[in-house]
Amino acid sequence: MFAVTAAQTDPDNPLAGLRLGEHPEPKTPDGWTTVTVKATALNHHDLWTLKGVGIRQDRLPIVLGCDAAGVDEDGNEVIVHSVIGSGADETLDPKRSLLSELHDGTFAERVAVPRRNLVPKPAALSFEQAACLPTAWLTAYRMLFDKAGLQPGATVLVQGAGGGVATALIALGRAGGYRVWATSRSAAKRERALELGADQVFETGARLPERVDAVMETVGQATWDHSLKSLKPGGRVVVSGATSGAVPPADLNRVFFLQLSVVGSTMGTRDQLRRLAVFLEQTGVRPLIDRTLPLAEASTGFAAMLAGDLFGKVVFTL
């Protein structure tokens, strides 16, 4: 079958390890099944794998990709939850992994997954839209509706508008009844954030009109100090990744004096993925897709992500 794999890793030139071509068909252990992939979405996780982050060298070559929507062996339209683990909340399993870490991922004609990882795809969502949900949109859903501890009407600051998680946070926050502010270094991305539903937008690091109830932090080093300074007393930073570098140590004096809290967040559970799909079906919110490409042109999408030339998700179709 055709697949996109990581054949080698290179922190300085990650695309050098990208391979497109034939790959063996997936094997299905007991309790697993095969999904015919119709659409799959690109994430920073895929670039990090090519850089050598979170992948053992003895796992190479490995099929990249965490997200997929497709058709199962019984002909059902499904969304693939990419966290491989056990327990009521598989994201808390210390032995958990994502597709494309220990097992081949979704950038292929077919992918093998545990049967428990399949979630029904609502008919109202296209395969391309559904493929955006398992990583970026599910992460945003958990950040806002699980970890942030907010009531409707609260003010949320989204740092770094433009990426998949950030655009999901803006759209979901608006639909959830929050007042959403967003930052970006790019004037064009700030304008697009307004079109997406942000109430106000600001340059990165700009002084805000007032402090906010919560900050959604996916950038890291470049925005961390601003995130802490932007919070009301008792406010919360919800962190899920750091695309600009490691999150620096917190200003403990500020955290203690203002009783701030810093909460880490990961991708959500299979049940949360199911509820997210229903939420989108009921509200009419749809993932923002920057571009859709055939999987055979995956290298173009990787290059755009590496350059930061995106607003929303890159989706590959088969």
Side-chain angles (χ1 to χ4, degrees), residues 233-246:
R236 178 173 293 183
V237 182
V238 183
V239 182
S240 71
T243 57
S244 72

Side-chain angles (χ1 to χ4, degrees), residues 138-149:
L138 183 56
T139 297
Y141 181 90
R142 191 173 205 175
M143 291 174 74
L144 276 172
F145 301 131
D146 184 0
K147 299 295 185 178

Side-chain angles (χ1 to χ4, degrees), residues 124-126 129 137 171 196 279-288:
L125 297 180
S126 68
Q129 292 165 342
W137 276 69
L196 186 58
F279 183 83
L280 299 193
E281 182 180 37
Q282 295 297 315
T283 61
V285 174
R286 296 293 182 266
L288 180 65

Side-chain angles (χ1 to χ4, degrees), residues 47 60-61 63 72 80 82 88 119 135 195 216 227 250 280 291 303:
L47 267 182
L60 302 178
V63 178
D72 70 11
V80 175
S82 66
V119 170
T135 300
E195 295 171 359
M216 303 292 109
S227 292
L280 299 193
R291 65 193 71 184

Side-chain angles (χ1 to χ4, degrees), residues 99 224 295:
L99 288 173
W224 183 249
L295 186 62

Side-chain angles (χ1 to χ4, degrees), residues 1-31:
M1 67 175 183
F2 182 83
V4 176
T5 61
Q8 65 186 55
T9 62
D10 187 333
D12 300 316
N13 185 18
L15 300 190
L18 195 62
R19 297 288 185 274
L20 285 70
E22 288 300 308
H23 189 80
E25 291 281 344
K27 297 179 180 179
T28 52
D30 290 343

Side-chain angles (χ1 to χ4, degrees), residues 132-218:
C132 298
L133 302 190
T135 300
W137 276 69
L138 183 56
T139 297
Y141 181 90
R142 191 173 205 175
M143 291 174 74
L144 276 172
F145 301 131
D146 184 0
K147 299 295 185 178
L150 300 174
Q151 298 295 320
T155 302
V156 177
L157 177 65
V158 178
Q159 296 280 24
V165 176
T167 55
L169 285 164
I170 294 169
L172 291 173
R174 178 77 177 201
Y178 302 140
R179 182 170 64 163
V180 181
W181 293 353
T183 69
S184 177
R185 293 175 295 178
S186 164
K189 289 184 178 181
R190 293 196 297 272
E191 184 62 31
R192 294 199 65 182
L194 288 172
E195 295 171 359
L196 186 58
D199 294 279
Q200 292 191 63
V201 292
F202 307 91
E203 291 188 25
T204 301
R207 185 179 181 88
L208 304 181
E210 60 187 70
R211 293 180 178 178
V212 302
D213 298 290
V215 178
M216 303 292 109
E217 177 61 79
T218 62

